[in-house]
Amino acid sequence: MAKTKAENYLDYVPVANPKNNWDEKDGIVTIHMIHRGFYAKIAQKFFHTPRVSNIDLDGYGSFLWMQIDGERTVGQMAEQMKARFGQDAEPLYDRLVKYVQILRNNDFVLFRGRDKASQ
């Protein structure tokens, strides 16, 4: 059985997913996630769920979001986090990789060169 190479998230370049809008106020980023698709429309009509969910990021997440420019790698953003927050950001790499995974799983970010919409 061939060994698979472990993914190194520090080398990935995140890009904000263009299907979501976002804004920043007082240093806090709010992502406006639009619920699309057949089941979302049914839920909106019959269960009166909102068409748009507003997700407020915390201070660390907002700082990270503002670093996403489509050019910086996750590793470079980690260095920015370390410079800004120092020891408060520790354990930096574990937290950052998990956070980026969550952002990707929720379609807030895409990885340049790995996801189709980010090309």
Side-chain angles (χ1 to χ4, degrees):
M1 204 185 251
K3 290 184 179 181
T4 58
K5 184 179 175 188
E7 293 183 341
N8 188 354
Y9 277 86
L10 298 179
D11 293 333
Y12 292 165
V13 177
V15 177
N17 192 336
K19 76 177 188 178
N20 296 315
N21 297 321
W22 63 277
D23 59 31
E24 181 264 336
K25 183 176 181 182
D26 299 326
I28 300 298
V29 171
T30 302
I31 301 173
H32 309 288
M33 184 175 72
I34 300 171
H35 300 285
R36 298 175 173 90
F38 177 73
Y39 294 112
K41 293 208 184 292
I42 289 174
Q44 290 164 17
K45 181 163 180 85
F46 293 109
F47 301 111
H48 306 290
T49 61
R51 183 173 184 274
V52 177
S53 293
N54 299 310
I55 294 96
D56 293 326
L57 304 180
D58 64 358
Y60 296 115
S62 294
F63 179 81
L64 178 69
W65 186 267
M66 298 302 289
Q67 301 304 309
I68 296 174
D69 63 358
E71 300 296 324
R72 289 186 185 105
T73 65
V74 175
Q76 290 169 331
M77 288 188 279
E79 294 303 317
Q80 295 290 324
M81 293 281 290
K82 185 184 283 186
R84 169 76 164 84
F85 295 106
Q87 282 299 112
D88 292 338
E90 296 299 333
L92 177 64
Y93 295 105
D94 293 335
R95 288 174 66 186
L96 185 60
V97 166
K98 188 58 151 173
Y99 193 76
V100 170
Q101 287 173 337
I102 291 169
L103 289 175
R104 185 176 185 215
N105 290 342
N106 287 294
D107 285 334
F108 296 148
V109 298
L110 305 168
F111 290 137
R112 172 165 282 152
R114 294 187 56 88
D115 297 319
K116 289 183 182 182
S118 67
Q119 304 294 327

